[in-house]
Every structure is written in C-alpha cells, then in structure tokens.
Amino acid sequence: MSLTAGVDVGSLTTKAVVVRDGRMAGAVVLKSGVNSAEIAEKALQAALEQAGAGLESLDGIVATGYGRIRVPFAGRRVTEITCHARGIYYLWPEVRTVIDIGGQDSKVILLDAGGKVRDFVMNEKCAAGTGRFLEIMAGALEVPLEEMGTLSRQAGQGANITSMCTVFAESEVVSLVAEGRPVAEIIRGLHNAVAQRVVAMAQRLGWEEPVAMTGGVAKNSGVVKSLEENLDTSIRVPPDPQIIGALGAALLALR
Amino acid sequence: MSHLMGWLCHYTPVEILTALGYTPYRLLGREGNNPRATTYLLGNLCPYVQSCLEAAIRQELPPLDGVVIARSCNAMIHLANVWPHYGAGGKTIVLDVPRRLNEDAIFYFSQNLRQLAVEAALAGQQRLDEKRLWAAITWWEEQRTTWRRLLTRRAAGEEPPAGKEIIEGLSRWQTSPNLREADKLEEVITRPAHLLRGKAPSQPRLLLVGSILPWELITMVEECGGLSVFEDSCNGRRLLLNPTTTAVGEGDPYLYLARLYLESPPCPRMVSDREKRRRYWAAIVDQFPIQGIIYHVMKFCDAALYDFLDLKVFCEKRELPLLRLDGDFSGGNRGQWQTRLEAFLEMLEVR
Ligand code: SF4
C-alpha cells in the first residue's frame, strides 16, 4: 500500500490531496493566509482525515504552488507547471494542452504523449488575465465572484473592454456601469478580455487539442465558454479544477 | 593614478584606450530602479543604458576622464545625447559601429577607430604611435587567450567553474582600475581556473543568451540546479572575441582592430549576420553538449526580441528546449523568474 500527499499553496487558496494506491482518498481547499505553513498543515490534516489516515503513514509529501518553499514538512518541492501536467495526465492522458488560471497567474502547458511537459508559457508579472483580475472586477461590480459565470452566460453580447490593465479596466467598468450597460454584458466582456489574453499565450505556444482547464478560474463557466469560443474547441474541466495541482503533487510524491 | 576611460558596448576597442595610456573601465550598470535617469531618458528605453546613466548621476562611478559610447543601438544613441549634460563629466566620445560585415564596413570602422584615437588622446599627447598600439593589441590578446582557454574547458568532461564565478571574474577584469599590475591580472583571470572541480556534474548544461546578462540570472539558474556552461552575451563569451588569422604587427593596426571586432561572434544588433549567428549557436550546442537554452530579453530591446525569434526557430529545428525570461536589469526579477526557471529545469530533468 502507498499513501502520498500533495499540498498546493496558491495566492488565494491552499489545497491538499491524499492519494492511496494511485487513487484520490482525500481533498481539501482552504483560504490561504499570512502563515502559509500553518494553513498547509491544516489542509493536509483535513485531507488525511478524509482518507482515514495519519501523518505518520505518509510515504511522501510534495509541495507546489507559489508558496511551496514555505511548507516545511514537504519532502520535495515541484513547480505547479509540472504538477498540473501530472494531475491532468492522470485524469485524461490524451490531453495535450492545459490552461491553468489561478489567483495570481495564468499558464498554458503543452504535454507530450507520456504526460511530460513539452513547453509552457506564463503571464507577465501583472494581474491581467488572472483570478485576481476577475476578483477586483467582481468587487467593482458588486457581484459575488461565484455568480459571474452564470450571469455572463445570460448576456447576448459582451461589452467591449479595451484595457487589460487591471487599474484601467476597473475604471472602464465603472464608466460602463454609469452608462447603464447591463452588468451581465460587462461581465461577459471581462471574460472575453481574460480569454483573449490567455488565447494569445496559447497561440504563442502552438496549442494542440484536446484542451483541459485547471485552477480556480475554471470554475467560472463564463471564462470557459469565452475560451472555447476564442479557441474554437471544447475544453474539458475536471469536477474540482482547483485541486489538480495538489493531485499532481501527490502523484509525483509516489516516485 | 591611472586615467580611467569608461566604455559600454563590446564593439569598443579597448586596445586604443590602453595604448593612449588609459585604463578602460566598463560601465556594467547597477542594481535597482533608475528614477533619476528617467528624468532625462524615456522610461521605455533599455534599462541597462538607463542604469549606466543612473550610476553616473548618483556619482557611483570612479572618476573617469571620459566615456566612449558606441552607437550600437537606438538606446545608446540617446545615451550619447544626454551623457555630456548629465553623465559623469569628462569627454564623451561617440563611436559609430557598422551593422554589417563586409570589406567596406571594415574599412569604415577602421577610419572611425583612427578618429577615436585622436579624440581620446590625453591633453598634449602626440599622434598615437603604432608600435604602442600593436603592443596593446598583443597585451589584450594574451589575456583573452587565457580566458578563452579557461572557458573552453567547460566544453570538456570536467566540472567547470560555475557561470556565476566566470561572470564575476569577467566583470572584475573589465572594471579593475589596476589591471595592468601583473599580480592583479593573475588574480582576476586565473582565479576561476582554480575552481575547476574534477569530474563532470549531472546538472542540466545550459546556454544563456541575451544582450547583457544580469548577474542575478546566472546566480538563480545555478541555485535552481542548472549549470551555465556558456554565456553568449556582451558581458560573457562575446567579450573575448575570436582570434583573427591576420598577423599581429603587420599592416594597419586600425584595420586589424576593425576586422578583429567585426569578425568576432556577432551581437544581436548585427542584423545582416543572422546566418553567422545561427552557425555560432550550432557550434556552441555541439561543442558544449547543451541541453537547454535560456534567453534573457532585456525589456524594450528590439535587437534581443528579433534575436529571440531566430533562436526559437533554431531550437525548434534541433528540438532543444528554450525558455524566454524578460527582465528589467533591476535585480528585482527573482519572483518573476523562479517558477519559470524551476519548471524549465524539471522539464529538462525528466527528458
Ligand atoms: S541591451 Fe539592447 S537596447 Fe540595451 S544596449 Fe544592448 S542592444 Fe542596446
């Protein structure tokens, strides 16, 4: 029997996954905090509880995510790029492109037939095209973040958001609200803007089908739809896209 | 007290400065933002060029008799315009460098070098004696040979000195005010040679490319577990030129220098030399068993951006992994680069 864990410390959420004999036995998502080590431990304990196991029975722990260096109990640290690739390969080995939009960054990853990373691209140090961008816009529109997807799908068309700079886009959103533009159309416009940004990255990389999406933003069906329209392909989204990095980390801990 | 003459672009023949009695002093920029330089230069101009001006405004440079600014790119032209007003004082000498390589270009460059010798001459100095110039040429060539020999050892199976140590050594070599003192020279050039550590290591062997490579990048690459075995940059291997087939001491020394510099491995700005640059990369990849390439694109550097596109095609043909890292030469790019670098090295390790 083997039991391993992966902990993914992101800028907004911390995820832990426990894998027993190659199958997921526990998964937890918590809000990240100032003390990454403490939250990571809490998430791991909760995931272990779901798996009905204790810390002492773990054969390995891999930490990933931007806070991976702040997980003192991890045996190894692996980047989220390798971990998302591993997680998706476990679910759908035929997938060749992974789009991961997290709280702080977005990436496009190309996989080979064996699930190995062939190439990748990440966004510039800027909130544009990330979960944080959408969070700020949700705040400006006074709409709960989780409702953005449903709302945008109700819009017949999207408003034109010309600036991808978070600061400028926010003032554009405020002007559109003042003009009386329906909120659903503004949100759809924002989703299109995010999608266009990510699609440009995918094109630079030479993306290939099939495509899967991971990360917290994959829970927003509006962004997924915009991406599908812009790429002219369907995108697979795992049941819980947020935990794929932690799942990949737990699987990599098996080695 | 030696007279220091500043220089920036590696197409500046330091031999002429040495022959005139100066110690050439390379301006390598500084870490941090450049708020004062952006008062005089546009914000979207090469950060390396900005940081050289910033260092001058902040009086962080040693006393210079002047500076030679090669007109190698647009950013340098702007720098040459503002330096006489806001730079470190002394002479500002502008050197025009051709962008292509043919016999006309070599002749044109040799004339510019002759002019440089006149403009840089110390007060009351006679016309530069050719014998002195040949002596300086020989002196520099001897040093470059020592460096080249050391760097070539990184191609062999031995564990080479780390890229960080090589770049550190090269920086000291370009900025040491007492370089002509034999013991200094010994210390600067041969020190990295003592760091050869025996057998070949197992880390991924990398080629680092870029206009000017920040020290921060080389350090990070090696901290993350990569091994920089070749730095194709104007503060790396390009600085060491290539030996010419022309005999030293015969003919016109200015023509000799023009040929030496223009025929050496080309910089990304040599737009018409693309094929030569491709052949240069191919030779490096084969000779130094390169497993991956990292290209550092200096923000706003068009020459580097076009060069990167060319390298991308080269890498695709050879199925070589390539990572592009954008930087602003501020020393503050760690956060931006960390995950990319680590992921790239993970990618190389599983190959
Ligand atoms: S890095 Fe580019 S822009 Fe800067 S000096 Fe060199 S060639 Fe010019």
Side-chain angles (χ1 to χ4, degrees):
Chain A
M1 190 198 81
S2 73
L3 192 75
T4 55
V7 183
D8 177 358
V9 183
S11 59
L12 300 179
T13 54
T14 296
K15 289 76 65 174
V17 166
V18 171
V19 167
R20 178 181 284 123
D21 294 330
R23 293 185 149 270
M24 197 155 74
V28 164
V29 180
L30 297 179
K31 240 184 154 8
S32 289
V34 194
N35 191 337
S36 306
E38 202 179 285
I39 304 281
E41 200 179 336
K42 255 194 206 158
L44 177 62
Q45 289 292 359
L48 279 167
E49 224 167 86
Q50 280 182 14
L55 197 60
E56 63 302 331
S57 45
L58 279 173
D59 298 316
I61 306 173
V62 164
T64 187
Y66 106 111
R68 63 190 174 279
I69 44 163
R70 289 188 291 276
V71 182
F73 50 84
R76 208 151 54 95
R77 285 164 189 90
V78 179
T79 63
E80 49 274 39
I81 292 166
T82 306
C83 289
H84 280 265
R86 183 68 189 88
I88 280 294
Y89 181 71
Y90 170 83
L91 293 178
W92 299 304
E94 62 282 12
V95 164
R96 291 291 171 273
T97 305
V98 180
I99 295 174
D100 166 41
I101 310 186
Q104 180 168 264
D105 53 32
S106 45
K107 354 181 161 52
V108 183
I109 309 163
L110 279 192
L111 307 186
D112 68 13
K116 303 215 172 73
V117 177
R118 243 169 68 203
D119 207 351
F120 64 89
V121 60
M122 276 175 86
N123 68 321
E124 288 278 311
K125 58 174 171 194
C126 166
T130 67
R132 185 79 189 120
F133 174 82
L134 292 173
E135 199 181 72
I136 290 168
M137 299 309 146
L141 287 165
E142 295 175 359
V143 165
L145 188 62
E146 350 20 280
E147 284 176 24
M148 284 180 98
T150 327
L151 272 169
S152 74
R153 299 188 72 140
Q154 292 164 6
Q157 54 170 336
N160 194 16
I161 308 287
T162 52
S163 179
M164 263 314 283
C165 164
T166 311
V167 178
F168 291 144
E170 191 177 359
S171 59
E172 245 182 271
V173 163
V174 172
S175 322
L176 287 166
V177 171
E179 277 169 26
R181 196 74 194 252
V183 169
E185 287 185 12
I186 301 176
I187 297 175
R188 184 148 178 201
L190 288 165
H191 289 165
N192 282 339
V194 169
Q196 279 154 12
R197 177 104 179 181
V198 176
V199 166
M201 280 163 55
Q203 276 161 346
R204 205 163 67 188
L205 204 59
W207 68 279
E208 286 167 22
E209 290 177 312
V211 181
M213 190 172 167
T214 60
V217 176
K219 292 197 332 205
N220 179 328
S221 58
V223 174
V224 179
K225 190 172 166 230
S226 285
L227 277 167
E228 287 182 327
E229 282 168 4
N230 278 282
L231 286 172
D232 194 19
T233 189
S234 63
I235 295 178
R236 302 182 194 194
V237 179
D240 192 350
Q242 255 179 312
I243 61 159
I244 301 304
L247 170 66
L251 291 166
L252 286 167
L254 267 173
R255 277 208 265 149
Chain B
M1 164 97 188
S2 57
H3 292 276
L4 297 184
M5 179 61 83
W7 61 284
L8 293 97
C9 170
H10 91 278
Y11 283 99
T12 311
V14 283
E15 292 84 345
I16 296 176
L17 305 179
T18 302
L20 287 168
Y22 292 106
T23 298
Y25 181 91
R26 177 100 188 252
L27 305 190
L28 286 166
R30 63 190 293 282
E31 282 200 354
N33 294 332
N34 308 309
R36 296 171 77 175
T38 42
T39 312
Y40 311 113
L41 291 171
L42 285 175
N44 61 352
L45 210 69
C46 171
Y48 159 61
V49 161
Q50 302 239 21
S51 76
C52 290
L53 182 64
E54 184 80 18
I57 297 172
R58 288 176 185 259
Q59 301 187 334
E60 291 170 354
L61 300 173
L64 301 175
D65 280 19
V67 65
V68 181
I69 301 178
R71 250 198 265 218
S72 47
C73 66
N74 184 37
M76 289 289 185
I77 295 172
H78 284 288
L79 182 70
N81 290 338
V82 298
W83 191 274
H85 310 288
Y86 313 110
K91 303 174 183 184
T92 303
I93 304 165
V94 178
L95 174 67
D96 205 15
V97 186
R99 276 175 188 269
R100 57 187 69 239
L101 174 63
N102 55 34
E103 287 306 308
D104 287 343
I106 289 172
F107 179 71
Y108 172 70
F109 193 42
S110 75
Q111 297 295 353
N112 294 347
L113 297 185
R114 204 176 287 277
Q115 183 59 27
L116 167 70
V118 173
E119 285 180 38
L122 288 158
Q125 201 169 36
Q126 299 289 309
R127 206 166 144 255
L128 176 55
D129 175 35
E130 292 198 353
K131 256 208 208 122
R132 278 182 72 110
L133 186 49
W134 281 120
I137 290 172
T138 310
W139 187 77
W140 276 101
E141 189 44 29
E142 276 166 10
Q143 290 175 72
R144 290 193 191 110
T145 309
T146 314
W147 271 117
R148 278 187 220 122
R149 222 178 283 136
L150 170 64
L151 266 56
T152 307
R153 295 184 71 168
R154 301 157 103 193
E158 294 171 290
E159 178 162 355
K164 194 178 97 179
E165 285 148 4
I166 293 286
I167 290 291
E168 237 172 28
L170 284 171
S171 300
R172 253 182 285 131
W173 181 60
Q174 297 166 85
T175 54
S176 175
N178 309 315
L179 197 58
R180 301 214 68 165
E181 290 168 20
D183 53 335
K184 269 272 165 200
L185 198 63
E186 164 80 4
E187 190 197 310
V188 170
I189 305 187
T190 50
R191 195 178 148 268
H194 300 316
L195 302 169
L196 285 167
R197 284 162 288 195
K199 67 172 190 39
S202 55
Q203 294 126 290
R205 297 171 62 88
L206 304 169
L207 160 63
L208 269 56
V209 192
S211 19
I212 180 161
L213 287 171
W215 190 77
E216 172 200 17
L217 173 64
I218 299 162
T219 314
M220 266 190 87
V221 164
E222 294 184 333
E223 276 171 11
C224 291
L227 194 67
S228 174
V229 292
F230 202 103
E231 297 83 21
D232 171 25
S233 65
C234 66
N235 58 338
R237 179 59 180 79
R238 277 209 300 275
L239 189 64
L240 304 174
L241 313 176
N242 272 356
T244 58
T245 44
T246 323
V248 174
E250 279 172 29
D252 177 4
Y254 296 100
L255 259 179
Y256 174 92
L257 281 173
R259 193 175 293 285
L260 173 68
Y261 277 83
L262 290 181
E263 282 184 352
S264 282
C267 145
R269 71 177 283 280
M270 299 298 276
V271 280
S272 59
D273 254 356
R274 303 308 318 172
E275 190 43 46
K276 190 170 170 194
R277 196 142 164 73
R278 266 171 240 140
R279 282 203 307 272
Y280 177 56
W281 287 327
I284 298 169
V285 168
D286 294 338
Q287 206 191 332
F288 289 77
I290 296 293
Q291 293 162 293
I293 304 184
I294 298 176
Y295 198 110
H296 172 257
V297 175
M298 181 77 78
K299 236 177 172 56
F300 315 119
C301 177
D302 296 343
L305 275 171
Y306 284 112
D307 195 46
F308 169 77
L309 291 178
D310 220 36
L311 182 61
K312 198 169 171 222
V313 175
F314 171 86
C315 287
E316 275 162 10
K317 278 193 193 140
R318 289 208 159 217
E319 292 186 19
L320 261 173
L322 168 68
L323 174 71
R324 168 180 154 176
L325 293 175
D326 292 22
D328 61 6
F329 211 66
S330 66
N333 294 290
R334 283 190 160 254
Q336 167 96 335
W337 291 343
Q338 186 88 28
T339 301
R340 288 168 170 81
L341 261 176
E342 287 180 14
F344 184 67
L345 292 169
E346 284 165 8
M347 203 171 106
L348 293 181
E349 270 157 23
V350 296
R351 276 187 162 230

